[in-house]
Amino acid sequence: MTGKPLRLYPLPPWEVSAIYEDLELPPAGRRDASRPYVIINMVSSLDGKVAIEGKASRLGSETDRQTMRTLRSKADAVMIGAGTLRAERLSLGLDDPAGPQPLAVIATTSGNVPLESNLIAGERQEVLVVAPEDVTVRFSERRPRVLRVSKDLSSNIDLAETLKVLRTEYTVDLLLVEGGPKLSHSLISQNLADELFLTLAPKLLGGIPGEGPTILSGNVLVAGDIHLLSAYLVGDELFLRYGLHPFHLDD
Amino acid sequence: MTGKPLRLYPLPPWEVSAIYEDLELPPAGRRDASRPYVIINMVSSLDGKVAIEGKASRLGSETDRQTMRTLRSKADAVMIGAGTLRAERLSLGLDDPAGPQPLAVIATTSGNVPLESNLIAGERQEVLVVAPEDVTVRFSERRPRVLRVSKDLSSNIDLAETLKVLRTEYTVDLLLVEGGPKLSHSLISQNLADELFLTLAPKLLGGIPGEGPTILSGNVLVAGDIHLLSAYLVGDELFLRYGLHPFHLDD
């Protein structure tokens, strides 16, 4: 026992108006201000799956989507991998198309970014595609800005370089990453992610191994301490916030 | 929003002496007394993985193992699939070898149950192997009782029949299932599981899809409502108890 167990639920209710609304992000006293503070937000079933028929949007509740928008409202940029964009039509912005929008960042290795068909973005939302120098980015009418970066040893985009450029040239101080599993894994395994916001949906999806992804996909990670920062419950859905500092090998 | 969010953590602490110690299982008012009340206990990483290098025992903390023993102490029988037995040397009993022990039940389709090498069981723990009628059960010195049951449509053992026999011939009223993912999936998909005790270990394991199992492995399940019954926190590890009643299609 590392301490006495605390019963979290049931408990006398301590209601709050909205999850994460009062959260200060990035937190004061972060270590590395040379890159954006990176938070990852994903939803998972109880059996670790992140998508129903390939679409993550079907897994979380309306509260989960509201929580996602709360985090987006604090972020300077919202980043996803191109595979997530190809999987379904999605928005990376806020509800009010007239208000300020976070920069939408699409990371791609292949250059296949179907912005026209799959990205719902109003005129006020800028779109930035991050791609390796030697890859042709295919798009039709909508012409996003394209940020060219080096490849890392795995022939993916160099994420450390990407984050530094987002910080210096795009003034991104808080970067929200919404998957997919490969991009999240790459950031965590390279010690470039600071927090994981994990929604645990009260669902069991089944499926055989390899059929459905979990929140992370990549090499086996070296286990480290991860700290639960807060937990919220709405209905039967848990909203968990974890600090990933121990993955920073340079600590 | 299906209701106001409740902040579970941080909260003023409400310490308890041990997780699940005072839990009444089976609960009063269960619906189907013709089979044992079935609870599944598994541990998962935050990214949904259930084993480190094939061994589930490395994932949970000492508190998780203590919680497992608390549940075992309430159970009349503890059941695992033979694949879980083959994966590592394990016990299905309690710490005190002189005290009463739950019946150890190993479910097998292949007949490959390495009891001698992998099952740690004192003399007071009876062992029952459940196998299809036409399968040769291979064991050497230790001669367990073998329960012969029909095969289901998937050529696995008929779990509904198995549970009924455990109830009528072995007086098993509370059955604790400790995996693996295939057995747990089979029980849930056939509406034979009543509760899921899920330990959420504060770890991220990575791995590519198909490399590591999640808590369930099998066909895609039809989503249903699942209810959080309680949540406990020790250190950064969450102990979640879910009611699976909605999977009972006969409701």
Side-chain angles (χ1 to χ4, degrees):
Chain A
M1 297 279 255
T2 59
K4 285 279 186 186
L6 302 179
R7 185 164 78 185
L8 300 184
Y9 179 79
L11 263 192
W14 181 5
E15 290 193 357
V16 296
S17 64
I19 300 171
Y20 305 140
E21 204 166 62
D22 299 330
L23 200 59
E24 185 200 353
L25 285 172
R30 61 202 265 216
R31 282 159 308 173
D32 184 359
S34 72
R35 61 161 176 82
Y37 193 79
V38 175
I39 63 176
I40 296 173
N41 183 33
M42 297 191 82
V43 55
S44 166
S45 68
L46 300 184
D47 56 334
K49 306 295 164 50
V50 296
I52 296 177
E53 291 173 358
K55 299 187 200 311
S57 59
R58 294 200 194 163
L59 190 48
S61 66
E62 175 52 34
T63 306
D64 180 53
R65 287 185 285 275
Q66 179 56 49
T67 303
M68 181 184 72
R69 287 189 287 264
T70 300
L71 291 175
R72 284 182 184 174
S73 73
K74 297 173 187 289
D76 304 298
V78 179
M79 185 183 201
I80 57 171
T84 297
L85 179 70
R86 290 192 295 269
E88 62 192 304
R89 188 165 162 80
L90 52 77
S91 153
L92 297 175
L94 304 173
D95 287 344
D96 177 11
Q101 297 283 337
L103 175 68
V105 182
I106 318 289
T108 182
T109 304
S110 69
N112 182 4
V113 283
L115 297 175
E116 286 75 15
S117 57
N118 283 19
L119 184 67
I120 306 161
E123 295 206 347
R124 292 209 52 182
Q125 185 163 38
E126 282 191 76
V127 179
L128 179 69
V129 171
V130 185
E133 284 142 1
D134 58 352
V135 163
T136 303
V137 177
R138 299 189 294 277
F139 46 82
S140 51
E141 293 159 38
R142 181 159 193 162
R143 298 201 155 267
R145 284 208 263 184
V146 179
L147 169 64
R148 297 294 182 172
V149 295
S150 313
K151 283 184 180 174
D152 64 16
L153 295 176
S154 310
S155 294
N156 296 314
I157 62 169
D158 186 315
L159 287 167
E161 179 185 332
T162 301
L163 294 185
K164 285 207 195 276
V165 176
L166 287 176
R167 181 82 174 95
T168 54
E169 296 183 19
Y170 294 84
T171 63
V172 175
D173 198 29
L174 180 65
L175 177 67
L176 169 62
V177 177
E178 297 187 354
K182 286 182 192 170
L183 177 59
S184 299
H185 181 282
S186 294
L187 288 163
I188 289 173
S189 65
Q190 295 174 53
N191 307 309
L192 296 171
D194 296 287
E195 296 186 17
L196 171 66
F197 289 79
L198 177 65
T199 301
L200 200 58
K203 293 182 178 169
L204 290 169
L205 298 185
I208 57 171
E211 208 173 57
T214 67
I215 65 165
L216 299 183
S217 175
N219 293 333
V220 170
L221 294 168
V222 175
D225 288 333
I226 298 174
H227 297 294
L228 180 66
L229 302 176
S230 69
Y232 292 83
L233 178 71
V234 180
D236 298 289
E237 194 170 45
L238 281 164
F239 297 84
L240 308 172
R241 178 187 175 213
Y242 289 95
L244 301 182
H245 306 282
F247 278 90
H248 288 263
L249 304 175
D250 58 342
D251 261 2
Chain B
M1 297 279 253
T2 58
K4 284 280 186 187
L6 302 179
R7 185 163 79 184
L8 300 186
Y9 179 78
L11 263 191
W14 180 4
E15 289 193 359
V16 296
S17 63
I19 299 169
Y20 304 140
E21 205 166 59
D22 299 330
L23 201 59
E24 186 201 354
L25 285 171
R30 61 202 267 216
R31 283 158 306 172
D32 184 358
S34 72
R35 62 161 177 81
Y37 193 79
V38 175
I39 62 176
I40 296 173
N41 183 33
M42 296 191 83
V43 53
S44 167
S45 67
L46 300 183
D47 57 333
K49 306 295 163 50
V50 295
I52 296 178
E53 292 173 359
K55 300 186 201 312
S57 58
R58 293 200 196 163
L59 190 48
S61 66
E62 175 52 34
T63 306
D64 180 53
R65 286 185 287 277
Q66 179 56 49
T67 302
M68 181 183 73
R69 287 188 288 263
T70 300
L71 292 175
R72 284 182 184 175
S73 73
K74 297 174 187 288
D76 303 299
V78 179
M79 186 183 200
I80 58 171
T84 298
L85 179 70
R86 290 193 295 269
E88 62 190 306
R89 187 166 162 78
L90 52 77
S91 154
L92 297 175
L94 304 173
D95 286 344
D96 178 9
Q101 297 282 337
L103 175 69
V105 182
I106 318 289
T108 182
T109 304
S110 69
N112 182 4
V113 284
L115 297 176
E116 285 75 16
S117 58
N118 282 19
L119 184 66
I120 305 161
E123 293 206 347
R124 292 207 54 178
Q125 185 163 39
E126 282 192 74
V127 179
L128 179 69
V129 171
V130 185
E133 283 142 3
D134 59 352
V135 163
T136 303
V137 177
R138 299 189 293 279
F139 46 83
S140 51
E141 292 159 37
R142 182 158 193 159
R143 298 202 156 265
R145 283 208 262 185
V146 178
L147 170 63
R148 297 293 182 173
V149 295
S150 314
K151 284 183 179 175
D152 64 15
L153 296 176
S154 310
S155 295
N156 296 314
I157 62 168
D158 186 316
L159 287 168
E161 179 185 333
T162 300
L163 294 185
K164 285 209 197 277
V165 176
L166 287 176
R167 181 80 172 95
T168 54
E169 295 183 19
Y170 294 84
T171 62
V172 175
D173 198 31
L174 180 65
L175 177 67
L176 169 61
V177 177
E178 297 188 353
K182 286 183 191 168
L183 177 60
S184 300
H185 181 282
S186 294
L187 287 164
I188 290 172
S189 65
Q190 295 174 52
N191 307 308
L192 296 172
D194 297 287
E195 297 187 15
L196 171 66
F197 290 78
L198 177 65
T199 301
L200 201 60
K203 293 182 178 168
L204 291 168
L205 298 185
I208 58 172
E211 207 171 55
T214 67
I215 65 165
L216 299 183
S217 175
N219 293 332
V220 171
L221 294 168
V222 176
D225 288 331
I226 297 174
H227 297 295
L228 180 66
L229 302 177
S230 69
Y232 291 83
L233 178 71
V234 181
D236 297 290
E237 194 170 45
L238 281 164
F239 297 84
L240 308 172
R241 178 187 174 211
Y242 288 95
L244 302 182
H245 307 281
F247 278 90
H248 288 261
L249 303 175
D250 56 345
D251 263 2

